Amino acid sequence: MEDPLILFVDDDENLLMGLKRKLRGKFNFDTALGPSQAIENIRNGAKYAVCVADMRMPEMDGVQLLAEIAKLSPDTVNMMLTGNADQKTAVEAINQGRIFRFFNKPCDDEDLIAGLTAGLRQYQLITAEKALIEQTLAGSVKVLTEVLAQLNPTIFGKAMRAKRWCDRIAASVGYPHPWELGLAALLAPIGYVSLPPDILGRLGADKALQPLERDVVRRTPEVARNLISNIPRLEQVAQIVYLQYRDYDGSGFPADGPEGKDIPLGSRILRIFNDLGKIVDGDLVVKQHFDELRQKPKRYDMALLDQIEQELAEVDPAYDNVAYPEGTEHDIYLKHLRMGDFLITDIETLDGHVLLTRGNYVSEVQLQRLRVFQKLHQFHEPIRVRRGGHDDED
């Protein structure tokens, strides 16, 4: 395995040549004649364990260069070579460039070698800690997802589907850290671990809950946040999950919190996917699903909803009047009923109350009313409908 690489940056070519003669055989190193070359090397993929930069350079001083390197390569240990180690220079370097050590010109060979050795040791400590954190993060997430999968496979399956949706739309909505969004979707229902088995079972089966039970379920994002926030580097994921039911107009859970664009983008996405997941069967997402979500415009970021629809929605052949001029008949459950469906059977509760009669097309208002009734009553299912094949005047 090749030794970690050190970079020396100076605008004086003679000084760089002298360093090469002094350090050849002692370290694995590279040189850059000025800040531009150093930055170009890093942007082209060069990995440096240590960077030693001169303070006085014409294009960009050492503080500015090391501050830029700290952004491009956060694990690199930065050092400065200066003939002007005054207090102001030192403060700027430490605050902006994250300086590990200063060297004064001219620098004694033994001091330079000792400093570089210490810098390489610091780099090893940083990378070892980072690897440990990443392993801890991966292990902790694995444990949480396995708990959720064992707790209720149906709910876990829906979380996996939401993660796939997040992976598909992350780039188009400009999400800065796609892994963070996907992980938030996967861990969004982890708060359900606090629910009694009977409530959990009804949730998995999409059955109606009593008001007190709904209130308990409503608070599960707080449980999820408390669990996730204990894992290193997942503080932002925990906040996204906590606000996943916060409505765009400022209502929803929690009662006090941000609204509009102040709600994290990840939470606004989960708010859409949580409701989309309740009306989508399988992986096929169609325009009619988004039409249904638009019946509650105060709940969502509507511009974001449009972006997600463009990325996810597919053409449903059952609504293609050209391909199916006479329409096609389907036996469906009520949760899959859509606007424009023609009822071939009545929609009737188990106690005999007919909500919608056969021979009619389902309107937006009727569908919304039915969704309210579904929370309170049980219906005869499946029902038979015809899709496609009717003109607008019908």
Side-chain angles (χ1 to χ4, degrees), residues 86-377:
D86 57 68
Q87 184 176 356
K88 183 176 183 294
T89 300
V91 170
E92 287 181 352
I94 291 170
N95 290 342
Q96 299 178 37
R98 292 167 49 185
I99 303 301
F100 176 70
R101 188 160 295 185
F102 285 94
F103 298 109
N104 286 316
K105 289 183 178 180
C107 182
D108 182 79
D109 291 356
E110 291 185 4
D111 290 342
L112 180 60
I113 291 171
L116 294 174
T117 301
L120 291 173
R121 190 179 302 116
Q122 178 69 9
Y123 175 76
Q124 291 171 348
L125 290 173
I126 291 170
T127 52
E129 182 181 24
K130 184 178 179 180
L132 179 61
I133 289 174
E134 288 176 348
Q135 291 170 7
T136 302
L137 171 61
S140 301
V141 170
K142 186 173 184 292
V143 168
L144 286 178
T145 53
E146 286 181 352
V147 166
L148 184 58
Q150 293 293 323
L151 192 67
N152 193 299
T154 301
I155 292 174
F156 178 69
K158 290 181 179 180
M160 285 294 296
R161 182 179 60 180
K163 181 187 181 301
R164 291 195 297 273
W165 289 342
C166 287
D167 293 342
R168 285 179 60 182
I169 62 95
S172 64
V173 301
Y175 203 88
H177 306 295
W179 69 268
E180 179 182 274
L181 179 61
L183 192 55
L186 194 60
L187 296 179
I190 197 64
Y192 287 170
V193 297
S194 64
L195 297 177
D198 55 335
I199 297 180
L200 195 62
R202 287 201 290 280
L203 268 178
D206 289 328
K207 293 184 178 179
L209 300 176
Q210 298 299 318
L212 287 177
E213 293 173 332
R214 288 199 299 271
D215 187 60
V216 171
V217 172
R218 191 165 170 263
R219 302 193 66 85
T220 54
E222 188 171 9
V223 177
R225 179 193 61 180
N226 294 340
L227 286 171
I228 298 168
S229 60
N230 289 318
I231 304 175
R233 298 174 63 190
L234 291 194
E235 294 82 3
Q236 185 60 33
V237 172
Q239 188 67 4
I240 291 171
V241 171
Y242 178 56
L243 295 171
Q244 63 180 299
Y245 289 107
R246 182 74 178 168
D247 294 339
Y248 197 69
D249 68 351
S251 59
F253 181 87
D256 297 323
E259 60 183 77
K261 296 289 186 183
D262 291 333
I263 300 172
L265 176 58
S267 300
R268 283 180 271 145
I269 292 171
L270 289 189
R271 189 69 189 94
I272 293 171
F273 284 164
N274 284 334
D275 286 355
L276 188 64
K278 295 176 183 177
I279 59 177
V280 171
D281 183 32
D283 287 326
L284 179 64
V285 184
V286 296
K287 179 181 183 299
Q288 287 75 18
H289 293 135
F290 288 93
D291 290 341
E292 190 168 336
L293 293 183
R294 286 191 177 87
Q295 301 309 305
K296 299 175 181 177
K298 294 182 180 179
R299 182 174 288 184
Y300 316 112
D301 179 343
M302 299 305 290
L304 182 61
L305 186 71
D306 291 341
Q307 286 181 285
I308 292 174
E309 178 185 354
Q310 289 178 7
E311 196 66 28
L312 288 188
E314 300 179 27
V315 175
D316 184 353
Y319 281 86
D320 190 338
N321 294 341
V322 176
Y324 298 90
E326 303 302 325
T328 56
E329 293 188 2
H330 306 266
D331 290 314
I332 64 170
Y333 287 90
L334 287 178
K335 66 179 181 179
H336 303 142
L337 188 68
R338 301 172 187 166
M339 290 178 288
D341 283 345
F342 180 81
L343 297 177
I344 297 174
T345 58
D346 294 337
I347 297 180
E348 183 181 7
T349 65
L350 293 183
D351 59 7
H353 178 71
V354 176
L355 188 64
L356 295 175
T357 58
R358 61 184 179 274
N360 291 292
Y361 292 102
V362 178
S363 69
E364 295 181 9
V365 174
Q366 288 170 333
L367 187 60
Q368 191 170 357
R369 180 168 172 254
L370 179 62
R371 294 290 182 241
V372 175
F373 269 76
Q374 279 182 276
K375 297 178 180 179
L376 304 173
H377 302 280

